Amino acid sequence: VSFFFGTSSCILMVDVDHFKHINDTFGHPAGDAVLQQLVNRLVSTFPRKTDFIARYGGEEFCILLHNAGNELSQRLGERLLHTIRGEEFQYQDNRISVTVSIGVAELIPGETVASWLERADRALYRAKDSGRDRLCLAMETAEGILGMPGDRGMR
C-alpha cells in the first residue's frame, strides 16, 4: 500500500448486477463468458501500467488507480458504465444485457487498506440499493475515518 501513499489513489469496486439471473437463465458457462468479456472491457477502460485490476470474489472486481483522485476515477467509472451498457455480451447464440454497479473510494492518508476497501464496498452497495447500473462515491471524510479534526475554519 505504500506505493499508493503520497498521491491521490482510488479503489473502484465493480459488481455485475443480477449475476445470479445470468447464471440461472443462460447457465454457468455463460456467466463465465460474461466475466471474461467484462475483464476485457475493464482492461480497455483502465489501460495505464499503474492501473491494477483484480477479481475480488465471485462477480466482483477491484480496480486500484494510482495518481487518480475522485474526479478522474468517477469519469473512468462512468466511461466503464457506458461501455458495458453499450455493447451486449455474447455467449454462443445468446446476447446478454449486462450492467454493473460501482463504488469509488479515494485513499485517505493514514487510512488502513481494510478501511479503504470497506468504504469502497459501502459505496458499491449504495449504488446497488439506489437502482444499480450506476456509480457512487464514498462519502466518508478523513475526520470520520481517522478521528482527525476537520477543517472547520480553526487555525
Side-chain angles (χ1 to χ4, degrees), residues 67-115:
N67 270 340
N70 275 334
E71 186 178 320
L72 175 58
S73 298
Q74 184 172 3
R75 271 199 327 266
L76 292 171
E78 294 288 346
R79 184 168 74 185
L80 177 64
L81 289 171
H82 180 74
T83 297
I84 290 172
R85 271 187 220 122
E87 187 179 326
E88 290 181 318
F89 289 61
Q90 304 239 344
Y91 176 69
Q92 295 177 343
D93 293 334
N94 298 303
R95 292 176 176 258
I96 304 169
S97 293
V98 174
T99 61
V100 298
S101 296
I102 303 171
V104 178
E106 186 169 6
L107 179 64
I108 296 170
E111 181 176 22
T112 66
V113 172
S115 172

Side-chain angles (χ1 to χ4, degrees), residues 20-31 34 91-97:
K20 182 179 182 329
H21 176 73
I22 294 169
N23 279 337
D24 291 348
T25 303
F26 301 101
H28 288 271
V34 164
Y91 176 69
Q92 295 177 343
D93 293 334
N94 298 303
R95 292 176 176 258
I96 304 169
S97 293

